[in-house]
Amino acid sequence: MNFTFYTALGQNTFDEATGLIRYPGMFSESQYNGQFLALSSFLFMIMDKSKNKNQNYLIYFGFVLFLIAIVLAGSRSALGGFVLGCIFLVSISSIRIKLYTILSFVFGTFAFYLYKPDSGIFGRAENLGDDLSFRQSIWTETSFIIDKYPMLGIGFGNFESYLMKYHQDMYLQIESDGELIYFTQPENGYLKILVEQGYLAFIIFILLLAIPFFQNIYLAVLGKLPRYKGFVMAGLISWIVAFNTVYSFLDYRLLVMVASFTVILIIPPHKSSGVKSK
C-alpha cells in the first residue's frame, strides 16, 4: 500500500478497525480497480485460434489472475458483475462449456468452504447488511433532491457542494481524527447522473447503453452473435452491475473503456474487420 501513483488513496482502501486492505491497483479507489478488472478481464478470452495451446493456456492464466485481483480489490459489486458476465457467456455457450462450468462451480465451492479465505471481498462478507442499509439511506435522501430538480438536475459535479450548502446534517463521514467529509457522490453511479444532470441526460445515457446491448442480445438469441462481441457484452454486464455502487467516470480511463466497449457493440459484425477470411 506504500507504493501508489497518487498522493492520497480513497478512504475505503484500508480499514483501521479490522486491518483489511482493499488494493486499489493503479487507481486511487479500490472500487475503481474492481470495475476496471471485471470489465477488462473478459478480453483475455478473445483468443486467436491460430495460436498453439500453450499460448492459449497463458491467456487463461491471465484471466484467472484478474479474478484473483478482483477479490483482493474487495469490490463485491465488481465480483457480482463478473459472475453475471460469466453466467451470460455460459448461457450462450455449448453444452460442453455449460458442463465444465458446473463442475468448476462445484470445485470452487468445495475449495471455498475448505480454506475459508478472509481477505479482500471475503473479509467484508459479514458487514454486507450494514453496508446495504447505509447505502439505502443515502439513496433515499438523494431521491428527495432528484424530486426537487427532476429534469436538469443540480449541475454536473455539484453533488458535494450542494450537500455542504443544503444538507449539512446528512451526508457526513467522520474520520478517526474527527474530520468531517461530505460525499462527492450518492454511492450509486446511476443516481449521480440522475441527481446532477436530471432525467434528460439520464435517459440518453441509458439508451446509449441499452439499444446496442439489446440489439446484440437479439443476435445472440438468433445464434448470429460474433464470438468476440459475446465477451465484450460480458465485460459490459460486469461494469453495469458494479456502476450501481460507485460513479467511476471521474476516472477517464474507465470512461474510455466503457465507451470503447459500447462502440464495438454498435459496429455491425461485417464492418468490424477489414481482413477477409480465406
Side-chain angles (χ1 to χ4, degrees):
M1 290 294 290
N2 292 328
F3 177 78
T4 175
F5 297 103
Y6 299 89
T7 56
L9 294 176
Q11 301 297 322
N12 60 2
T13 54
F14 179 71
D15 190 332
E16 295 181 357
T18 63
L20 177 66
I21 296 176
R22 299 172 60 187
Y23 292 95
M26 62 179 183
F27 298 89
S28 61
E29 280 281 346
S30 55
Q31 293 187 82
Y32 288 10
N33 186 36
Q35 286 193 21
F36 168 79
L37 293 168
L39 178 62
S40 57
S41 61
F42 293 97
L43 296 181
F44 280 98
M45 308 302 289
I46 305 177
M47 296 176 294
D48 186 355
K49 293 184 178 180
S50 63
K51 293 183 178 180
N52 59 45
K53 290 185 178 181
N54 291 332
Q55 289 176 308
N56 287 336
Y57 289 150
L58 185 62
I59 293 175
Y60 287 134
F61 180 68
F63 181 76
V64 173
L65 283 181
F66 264 53
L67 174 58
I68 296 173
I70 293 174
V71 174
L72 294 177
S75 178
R76 292 173 299 208
S77 59
L79 181 62
F82 175 84
V83 171
L84 288 179
C86 291
I87 291 175
F88 168 76
L89 286 178
V90 172
S91 67
I92 62 175
S93 299
S94 63
I95 298 297
R96 181 173 61 89
I97 298 297
K98 290 182 174 64
L99 179 60
Y100 286 159
T101 302
I102 293 174
L103 293 176
S104 299
F105 176 78
V106 173
F107 175 78
T109 302
F110 174 76
F112 174 80
Y113 282 104
L114 182 64
Y115 292 102
K116 296 181 179 179
D118 57 357
S119 61
I121 292 174
F122 305 113
R124 304 178 60 223
E126 295 181 356
N127 61 351
L128 180 60
D130 294 337
D131 283 354
L132 181 59
S133 299
F134 171 70
R135 292 179 186 275
Q136 285 180 335
S137 65
I138 300 176
W139 298 343
T140 300
E141 296 297 336
T142 302
S143 66
F144 296 148
I145 303 175
I146 295 172
D147 290 339
K148 293 181 180 179
Y149 308 95
M151 299 308 296
L152 300 178
I154 60 177
F156 180 72
N158 286 341
F159 188 75
E160 182 180 13
S161 58
Y162 184 91
L163 298 184
M164 294 175 66
K165 187 173 183 179
Y166 298 107
H167 286 274
Q168 299 178 7
D169 59 337
M170 294 182 182
Y171 300 91
L172 298 177
Q173 266 187 333
I174 302 179
E175 291 288 300
S176 58
D177 58 359
E179 181 184 359
L180 300 180
I181 297 179
Y182 290 87
F183 292 104
T184 59
Q185 55 179 300
E187 298 293 312
N188 186 299
Y190 302 103
L191 280 182
K192 181 174 173 65
I193 295 175
L194 195 55
V195 71
E196 290 189 347
Q197 302 175 61
Y199 280 102
L200 290 179
F202 180 76
I203 291 173
I204 294 173
F205 169 72
I206 293 299
L207 289 178
L208 284 173
L209 289 173
I211 292 177
F213 193 84
F214 284 107
Q215 284 178 339
N216 284 272
I217 288 287
Y218 177 69
L219 291 177
V221 172
L222 297 179
K224 298 180 180 180
L225 183 69
R227 186 171 179 270
Y228 72 93
K229 284 198 174 188
F231 294 112
V232 171
M233 289 180 67
L236 270 180
I237 289 173
S238 69
W239 172 82
I240 287 171
V241 174
F243 195 65
N244 188 60
T245 60
V246 63
Y247 179 84
S248 56
F249 284 165
L250 294 175
D251 192 300
Y252 291 131
R253 291 170 293 184
L254 283 165
L255 175 61
V256 170
M257 284 189 64
V258 173
S260 300
F261 276 46
T262 305
V263 168
I264 292 174
L265 292 185
I266 293 174
I267 297 176
H270 64 279
K271 295 182 180 180
S272 62
S273 175
V275 180
K276 295 182 180 180
S277 59
K278 296 181 181 180

